[in-house]
């Protein structure tokens, strides 16, 4: 997701200029005088001509959208035109709130199953539980029939203060009365998880850079420091970015006042420097930042500043390589244009933007090599004399290749078919475990016979595999099942704790923090 300024222009941008109506056609005159066509408004004029004269009826809104799509496609890959619903969803995601009831669900055998609840959200407050099957919404039966995500969203989402009645099947029986849930503003943190890995090391994973990310991070870090944290692992893997200002605000926590974090510049944008705003909350502790090929934009701003200023160690795989800044311009109908207005540069002056023609580069998964097509071969030198380079993302200080098991064909097929989720929710969540979350995290590992049953399950559903393929996929499948079960019974923190038990990138980061 693009690093985005928050500005919104409420007037039309590309196609907003209107022109006077042409003289009515008489049936004899089929050519229009060239003099009335002003190049600055040719696109709008063309749309008006088609709308007024074409043999069939065509909606002008659709034509305008198509025209804008084609124009924006000629720019960089990160400028994009968003339809009203797309713009709304993006803004809700980055703002960290929406109006609804706060449930996470999975469609299991044509039945909606609650697999997560937003803590303190309307659904939890009304008495909904993880594992509930939704039978009907406001009297309309939804169980046992195909229903699209769009239809579900229309039924569940709604204006705050409005009520929704949900018929529930729980623990094998139907509840006698539907639950009445009052829709409200639901807050969603951009922090996936924050906890102590050991007595002195905090782990914080951020999924995106939204409006409240710096605030959420500060609150989490303060709490962990009270528990004794002196080291920090900041996990930015799979973090595609978000708000530009959220990245600079978060990076400020790692530096003293007035350290240059990043600067921006564009053809119509003069250079603007962004400095740390205050003494950082974590200005002197040992720091490791985890990145991968999907760490982009705002994530790379943070990682680039930490690497250039030698504040911490970067661990993982080369990041995505997006050094473009978007500003959002809104239209009156709710649609919006995310337009690239500047490039950003790390404190040493690196632009880590990869070539627009490079969509993927498998080498970054297996070797710490420059991205193909990178034209920037300039060496930038840190204070200690270390050389770093621009173009094609942030190269980690400690490179950890991708897990070859994750790349196995059978594992990818299993994930694509959603077999792990269906197996866990359909077969392994039928009874409440008798053990505590602590015992689960320390002692539960999927039994060998359960993995064999899972293999039978996918084979019965037409997925073929060899014994060698099953052996290669085993560690990833078992880890996913264990993590999903932990999330179902004990919440999202358990999910990440389970996944982190076998995370090689995290293990290497912990070694680096301890000087090994």
């Amino acid at each position: 997701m693009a690093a985005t300024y928050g500005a919104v222009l409420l007037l039309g941008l590309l196609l907003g200029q209107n022109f006077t109506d042409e003289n009515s056609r008489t049936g004899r005159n089929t050519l229009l005088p060239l003099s009335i066509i002003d190049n600055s408004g040719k696109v709008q004029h063309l749309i008006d001509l088609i709308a007024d004269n074409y043999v069939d009826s065509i909606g002008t809104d659709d034509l305008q959208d198509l025209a804008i799509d084609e124009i924006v496609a000629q720019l960089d890959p990160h400028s994009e035109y968003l339809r009203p619903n797309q713009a709304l969803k993006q803004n809700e995601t980055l703002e960290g709130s929406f109006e609804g009831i706060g449930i996470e669900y999975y469609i299991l055998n044509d039945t909606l199953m609650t697999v997560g609840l937003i803590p303190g959200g309307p659904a939890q407050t009304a008495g909904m539980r993880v594992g509930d099957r939704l039978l009907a919404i406001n009297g309309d039966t939804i169980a046992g029939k195909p229903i699209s995500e769009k239809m579900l969203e229309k039924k569940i989402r709604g204006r705050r203060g409005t009520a929704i009645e949900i018929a529930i099947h729980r623990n094998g029986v139907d509840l006698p009365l539907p639950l009445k849930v009052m829709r409200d503003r639901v807050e969603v943190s951009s922090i996936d998880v924050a906890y102590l890995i050991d007595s002195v090391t905090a782990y914080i994973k951020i999924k995106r850079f939204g409006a409240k990310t710096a605030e959420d991070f500060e609150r989490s870090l303060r709490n962990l420091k009270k528990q004794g944290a002196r080291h920090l692992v900041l996990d930015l893997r799979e973090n595609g970015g978000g708000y530009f200002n959220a990245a600079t605000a978060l990076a400020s926590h790692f530096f003293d006042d007035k350290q240059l974090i990043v600067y921006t510049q564009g053809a119509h944008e003069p250079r603007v420097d962004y400095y740390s705003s205050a003494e950082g909350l974590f200005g002197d502790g040992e720091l490791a930042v985890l990145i991968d090929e999907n760490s982009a934009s705002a994530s790379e701003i943070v990682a680039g500043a930490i690497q250039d200023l030698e504040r911490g160690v970067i661990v993982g795989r080369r990041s995505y390589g997006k050094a473009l800044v978007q500003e959002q311009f809104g239209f009156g109908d709710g649609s919006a244009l995310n337009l690239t207005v500047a490039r950003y540069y790390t404190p040493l002056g690196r632009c880590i933007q990869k070539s627009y023609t490079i969509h993927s580069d498998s080498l970054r998964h297996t070797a710490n090599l420059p991205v193909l097509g990178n034209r920037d071969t300039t060496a930038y030198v840190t204070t200690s004399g270390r050389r770093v380079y621009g173009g094609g993302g942030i190269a980690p200080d400690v490179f950890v290749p991708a897990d070859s098991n994750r790349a196995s064909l059978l594992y990818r097929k299993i994930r694509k078919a959603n077999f792990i989720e269906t197996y866990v929710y359909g077969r392994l969540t039928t009874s409440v475990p008798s053990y505590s979350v602590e015992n689960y995290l320390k002692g539960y590992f999927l039994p060998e016979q359960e993995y064999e049953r899972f293999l039978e399950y996918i084979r019965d559903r037409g997925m073929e595999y060899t014994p060698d393929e099953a052996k290669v996929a085993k560690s990833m499948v078992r880890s996913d099942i264990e993590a999903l079960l932990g999330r179902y019974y004990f919440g999202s923190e358990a999910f990440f704790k389970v996944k982190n038990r076998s995370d090689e990138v995290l293990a290497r980061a912990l070694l680096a923090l301890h000087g090994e």
Side-chain angles (χ1 to χ4, degrees), residues 241-412:
Y243 285 140
F244 180 94
N245 289 338
T248 59
L250 185 136
S252 289
H253 285 297
F254 305 121
F255 302 100
D256 293 330
D257 196 15
K258 297 183 180 178
Q259 287 273 0
L260 178 64
I261 293 173
V262 66
Y263 67 89
T264 62
Q265 194 168 12
H268 305 287
E269 295 277 341
R271 172 169 169 163
V272 179
D273 293 345
Y274 295 83
Y275 294 90
S276 54
S277 58
E279 184 174 348
L281 182 62
F282 201 78
D284 55 7
E286 295 294 323
L287 174 65
V289 179
L290 312 186
I291 61 172
D292 65 8
E293 58 279 356
N294 295 315
S295 303
S297 190
S299 294
E300 294 173 300
I301 290 174
V302 175
I306 289 170
Q307 188 175 63
D308 279 15
L309 301 176
E310 300 183 303
R311 174 61 188 85
V313 60
I314 310 299
V315 184
R317 296 187 293 279
R318 184 183 291 270
S319 62
Y320 181 85
K322 179 185 176 298
L324 303 177
V325 180
Q326 280 72 49
E327 186 170 352
Q328 188 174 96
F329 298 88
F331 297 87
D333 65 348
S335 60
L337 175 69
N338 286 347
L339 183 68
T340 297
V341 297
R343 290 180 175 84
Y344 71 76
Y345 300 82
T346 68
L348 290 178
R350 292 188 288 163
C351 180
I352 52 88
Q353 177 64 43
K354 71 177 181 180
S355 170
Y356 295 164
T357 60
I358 303 299
H359 299 293
S360 63
D361 181 12
S362 60
L363 288 178
R364 72 174 65 200
H365 299 269
T366 56
N368 200 16
L369 299 174
V371 173
L372 298 174
N374 172 25
R375 297 179 181 179
D376 187 356
T377 58
T378 305
Y380 300 83
V381 183
T382 66
T383 301
S384 69
R386 183 171 180 271
R387 290 172 176 253
V388 291
Y389 297 87
I394 302 290
D397 304 315
V398 178
F399 176 73
V400 184
D403 188 337
S404 59
N405 291 339
R406 183 179 290 276
S408 76
L409 181 59
L410 176 61
Y411 178 71
R412 295 203 305 270

Side-chain angles (χ1 to χ4, degrees), residues 25-258:
R25 293 182 59 185
T26 63
R28 297 187 300 273
N29 181 15
T30 58
L31 297 177
L32 293 170
L34 294 178
S35 60
I36 68 171
I37 301 179
D38 181 348
N39 279 346
S40 66
K42 187 183 292 185
V43 174
Q44 183 63 52
H45 185 72
L46 175 63
I47 291 173
D48 290 342
L49 282 175
I50 294 172
D52 293 340
N53 299 282
Y54 188 61
V55 62
D56 294 320
S57 177
I58 295 180
T60 56
D61 287 346
D62 292 337
L63 289 177
Q64 287 179 333
D65 286 346
L66 290 172
I68 296 175
D69 285 339
E70 187 60 32
I71 292 170
V72 174
Q74 307 309 309
L75 307 177
D76 65 277
H78 304 289
S79 292
E80 61 176 338
Y81 172 64
L82 303 174
R83 271 59 171 178
N85 64 321
Q86 294 173 317
L88 177 62
K89 286 184 178 180
Q90 184 182 90
N91 290 334
E92 285 181 340
T93 297
L94 290 175
E95 289 299 318
S97 65
F98 62 91
E99 293 184 355
I101 65 173
I103 68 169
E104 298 176 60
Y105 59 83
Y106 184 77
I107 300 177
L108 181 67
N109 300 326
D110 289 336
T111 300
L112 228 66
M113 179 179 179
T114 304
V115 297
L117 294 167
I118 302 298
Q124 188 183 69
T125 302
M128 287 190 69
R129 300 178 188 174
V130 170
D132 284 349
R133 268 72 165 176
L134 280 62
L135 303 177
I137 297 176
N138 288 335
D140 295 332
T141 300
I142 61 171
K145 59 174 62 174
I147 185 167
S148 68
E149 184 176 342
K150 185 176 181 180
M151 291 171 61
L152 283 172
E153 186 172 301
K154 187 176 180 181
K155 289 179 177 293
I156 294 176
R157 298 281 292 271
R159 192 174 68 257
R160 66 185 306 180
T162 58
I164 176 175
E165 291 192 343
I166 304 176
I168 299 292
H169 180 85
R170 177 182 295 167
N171 297 331
V173 298
D174 296 350
L175 296 187
L177 296 173
L179 291 180
K180 184 176 182 180
V181 184
M182 195 67 66
R183 296 184 179 100
D184 201 350
R185 176 67 60 179
V186 178
E187 303 292 333
V188 182
S189 175
S190 56
I191 306 294
D192 269 328
V193 66
Y195 70 97
L196 284 181
I197 293 178
D198 55 45
S199 60
V200 296
T201 308
Y203 171 86
I204 300 178
K205 181 173 177 60
I206 302 176
K207 59 184 154 189
R208 71 181 69 88
F209 283 88
K212 299 179 182 178
T213 297
E215 176 185 333
D216 292 341
F217 174 81
E218 181 176 350
R219 181 170 54 252
S220 297
L221 185 56
R222 285 189 186 279
N223 180 51
L224 293 172
K225 288 183 72 174
K226 289 179 181 178
Q227 299 177 46
R230 300 197 304 271
H231 309 319
L232 172 64
V233 176
L234 177 65
D235 195 344
L236 299 181
R237 290 174 296 178
E238 301 293 326
N239 184 322
Y243 285 140
F244 180 94
N245 289 338
T248 59
L250 185 136
S252 289
H253 285 297
F254 305 121
F255 302 100
D256 293 330
D257 196 15
K258 297 183 180 178

